[in-house]
Amino acid sequence: MKFIVKLFPEIIIKSKPVRKKFTQQLRDNLRKLLLPLDPDLTIIRDWDRITLETRSTDPLVLQGFVVVLSQTPGIAHAIEVAEYPLVDVHDIYEKTREAVGDSLRGKRFVVRCKRVGQHDFNSGEVERYVGGGLNQHVESAGVDLRNPDVTVRIEVRNQQVYIVNRRIEGLGGFPLGTVDAVMSLISGGFDSTVSSYMTMKRGMRTHFCFFNLGGREHEVGVKEVALYLWLKYGASHRVKFVSVPFEDVVAEILKNVENSQMGVILKRMMLRAASQVAAQLEVPALVTGEAVAQVSSQTLQNLSVIDQATDTLVLRPLITMDKLDIIKTAAAIGTEEFAANMPEYCGVISVKPTTKAKPEKIAAQEANFDFAVLERAIAAADFINIDQLADEDKTVAEVEVLPIPLPDSVILDVRHPDEVDRKPLKVTSGEVQAVPFFELHRRFAELDQSRIYLLYCDKGVMSRLHASHLIEQGFSNVKVYRPS
């Protein structure tokens, strides 16, 4: 089986050296993501495409290819093709009828052909001959050049013919690693998750920085969504998750800052801390989920004053987006459920927050702030590789991992519903229930506590993270199911 990966158009129009760099990076990213699925995979980089050749016929492996190709930045689209040697136009028709004839029954169709090389026929002749033959010999609803139900795609490249079995739409954007890294200030809500996705899609290796304002469940929730985003869109590159304890900073603001100025000053303290964290990782820019005038601290005047707290570049991918558009994007990328179920902790709420902060007034208020508190918070920041979140000693209670389910236990599949649909968990014995991780903590107490529950996810990371949190809450009937 072959998959032909087409580059995002913005890559194609770049200079030759840049295009070569981007294509090589995309090839390397695909190799890292796909070799675990098929160690014998062949990857061939051409000037305008990347070709993947696999001998595997396992439907789960091939579906894994489709998932990776649809979620890896830098791909316009990919096509799964059947390859044949070129004989003549009639042979192209016969191969096409064999490959796609059954799929055209009762449907309107059109044939489209792309051709590269020297041949004694042109693309239009292939389209007319193959289309006419299919129309005569297949029980279709006829040819429709404008609004077909099915588009039959053929590529003739030199002496090879490729008949497209399916087209896989890609993310677009740039390959991860082709643009400088950034540090995303993530709270787990709609805005920060979407802005993080957008920088990853644009090719930026995106680290995550979380400011812990005192909520243990909030921290676990943010780790979940950061891990989800990384596994889905950025797993070709390792990144850090940084948690900065900000409870004392909030307390200092509440004690010494005028009520109306609290929101702006809290944001300034976060930018100062994030800038130092980014500097330690040699990251040149910060990312926030702010949009103009969405809340009081996000007026242009306030954003300008907030930015004066740091010399580090601050990127705001959502700056002109409407909230409904942000929520739609969150739904499309799978983070809407996280945000809707995210435990929140609001440490600073101004009664009448300023919308027109003045630098001189902010400076006067910050003169009352003990910056030693901020420095202690930065020094206590916890850095961890995001793929090691479940092994973090400070957050994970000891969890028993079982390769075989216990008798009478219940396996809770805590994966995202999209993953469950794509790859259902199959066990020879035992009961399986699907409880998405973003609902697990709310629903677990309602379950029959006389039963033992084994949490399951594909990689065993998120299941361990949730199991440890449930154990910390006092539930002793929780383990992890990790089949060998």
Side-chain angles (χ1 to χ4, degrees), residues 457-475:
C457 68
D458 280 332
K459 297 184 180 298
V461 177
M462 202 167 287
S463 55
R464 288 189 62 195
L465 189 66
H466 280 282
S468 68
H469 189 210
L470 288 169
I471 290 171
E472 287 178 350
Q473 290 182 317
F475 295 100

Side-chain angles (χ1 to χ4, degrees), residues 167-431:
R167 177 184 169 109
I168 305 152
E169 294 302 326
L171 282 184
F174 293 153
L176 208 64
T178 54
V179 183
D180 288 338
V182 294
M183 172 73 71
S184 177
L185 280 62
I186 187 166
S187 67
F190 295 104
D191 303 338
S192 62
T193 55
V194 172
S195 61
S196 300
Y197 157 75
M198 292 177 72
T199 56
M200 296 164 78
K201 177 182 174 182
R202 197 61 180 174
M204 303 175 216
R205 189 160 60 102
T206 302
H207 301 275
F208 300 95
C209 184
F210 168 65
F211 292 97
N212 191 341
L213 304 182
R216 174 71 176 93
E217 290 190 9
H218 189 186
E219 181 179 19
V220 172
V222 175
K223 286 179 176 178
E224 291 170 358
V225 73
L227 181 63
Y228 172 85
L229 282 168
W230 177 77
L231 285 171
K232 190 168 185 179
Y233 301 110
S236 60
H237 289 70
R238 175 173 283 179
V239 299
K240 296 286 187 181
F241 183 94
V242 184
S243 181
V244 185
F246 239 52
E247 302 98 319
D248 292 344
V249 175
V250 169
E252 184 70 11
I253 290 173
L254 291 171
K255 184 171 69 173
N256 294 314
V257 172
E258 182 182 311
N259 186 281
S260 63
Q261 311 299 311
M262 287 180 176
V264 170
I265 289 179
L266 177 61
K267 291 289 185 71
R268 283 167 60 90
M269 296 300 172
M270 288 180 172
L271 283 194
R272 289 185 174 105
S275 296
Q276 292 194 41
V277 169
Q280 293 183 53
L281 297 176
E282 298 182 345
V283 171
L286 306 177
V287 178
T288 77
E290 292 160 315
V292 168
Q294 188 180 118
V295 295
S296 60
S297 65
Q298 295 173 18
T299 63
L300 290 179
Q301 174 68 24
N302 284 357
L303 291 174
S304 176
V305 172
I306 290 168
D307 280 359
Q308 292 171 21
T310 180
D311 293 329
T312 306
L313 175 64
V314 180
L315 305 178
R316 295 182 171 93
L318 313 184
I319 195 67
T320 61
M321 288 183 68
D322 297 329
K323 190 69 176 182
L324 287 178
D325 293 332
I326 295 171
I327 293 173
K328 286 179 182 178
T329 303
I333 65 175
T335 60
E336 180 185 25
E337 295 93 344
F338 288 92
N341 290 276
M342 185 67 63
E344 294 189 3
Y345 181 87
C346 299
V348 173
I349 301 176
S350 297
V351 178
K352 292 183 178 180
T354 181
T355 57
K356 294 184 178 180
K358 294 180 169 37
E360 61 275 11
K361 187 166 186 177
I362 292 295
Q365 289 295 309
E366 289 186 348
N368 299 324
F369 184 91
D370 182 1
F371 277 86
V373 176
L374 179 64
E375 292 303 319
R376 285 195 296 270
I378 297 170
D382 187 28
F383 292 72
I384 185 169
N385 291 329
I386 196 165
D387 56 329
Q388 297 174 343
L389 283 179
D391 297 322
E392 189 182 13
D393 292 336
K394 290 176 62 178
T395 61
V396 177
E398 185 173 348
V399 179
E400 186 176 359
V401 180
L402 302 176
I404 301 174
L406 295 172
D408 299 325
S409 63
V410 179
I411 299 173
L412 297 183
D413 190 338
V414 301
R415 294 175 297 167
H416 192 280
D418 291 346
E419 296 179 73
V420 175
D421 291 340
R422 176 175 61 84
K423 188 179 177 182
L425 174 62
K426 297 179 180 179
V427 295
T428 56
S429 63
E431 179 183 348

Side-chain angles (χ1 to χ4, degrees), residues 23-243:
T23 308
Q24 287 178 335
Q25 184 67 67
L26 179 57
R27 177 201 60 192
D28 293 344
N29 293 352
L30 288 174
R31 177 182 286 115
K32 184 170 184 180
L33 295 169
L34 292 174
L35 283 181
L37 295 173
D38 178 10
D40 298 322
L41 174 69
T42 300
I43 303 179
I44 303 170
R45 178 180 64 86
D46 295 317
W47 179 240
D48 62 343
R49 61 176 59 193
I50 294 173
T51 302
L52 311 172
E53 297 185 23
T54 177
R55 294 176 182 161
S56 177
T57 57
D58 185 339
L60 289 179
V61 171
L62 297 179
Q63 183 59 27
F65 271 60
V66 171
V67 170
V68 169
L69 294 173
S70 67
Q71 296 175 172
T72 299
I75 297 175
H77 67 270
I79 51 176
E80 179 190 309
V81 300
E83 180 183 12
Y84 306 95
L86 174 62
V87 179
D88 54 29
V89 174
H90 182 73
D91 186 69
I92 295 175
Y93 155 69
E94 290 185 333
K95 295 294 192 299
T96 304
R97 179 183 174 184
E98 179 184 352
V100 304
D102 291 342
S103 67
L104 302 182
R105 295 183 186 278
K107 298 179 180 178
R108 297 172 299 166
F109 74 94
V110 65
V111 176
R112 298 299 183 202
C113 177
K114 291 184 179 181
R115 188 178 58 86
V116 175
Q118 298 296 320
H119 306 98
D120 58 2
F121 54 82
N122 60 39
S123 298
E125 291 171 340
V126 174
E127 292 173 353
R128 288 190 292 273
Y129 190 93
V130 174
L134 293 174
N135 193 37
Q136 291 181 47
H137 299 102
V138 173
E139 297 177 1
S140 70
V143 174
D144 188 334
L145 300 180
R146 293 188 176 181
N147 298 297
D149 300 316
V150 179
T151 299
V152 178
R153 300 185 186 276
I154 301 169
E155 290 195 18
V156 181
R157 179 170 285 262
N158 299 317
Q159 297 304 305
Q160 298 298 119
V161 177
Y162 301 97
I163 299 173
V164 179
N165 293 330
R166 56 177 160 175
R167 177 184 169 109
I168 305 152
E169 294 302 326
L171 282 184
F174 293 153
L176 208 64
T178 54
V179 183
D180 288 338
V182 294
M183 172 73 71
S184 177
L185 280 62
I186 187 166
S187 67
F190 295 104
D191 303 338
S192 62
T193 55
V194 172
S195 61
S196 300
Y197 157 75
M198 292 177 72
T199 56
M200 296 164 78
K201 177 182 174 182
R202 197 61 180 174
M204 303 175 216
R205 189 160 60 102
T206 302
H207 301 275
F208 300 95
C209 184
F210 168 65
F211 292 97
N212 191 341
L213 304 182
R216 174 71 176 93
E217 290 190 9
H218 189 186
E219 181 179 19
V220 172
V222 175
K223 286 179 176 178
E224 291 170 358
V225 73
L227 181 63
Y228 172 85
L229 282 168
W230 177 77
L231 285 171
K232 190 168 185 179
Y233 301 110
S236 60
H237 289 70
R238 175 173 283 179
V239 299
K240 296 286 187 181
F241 183 94
V242 184
S243 181

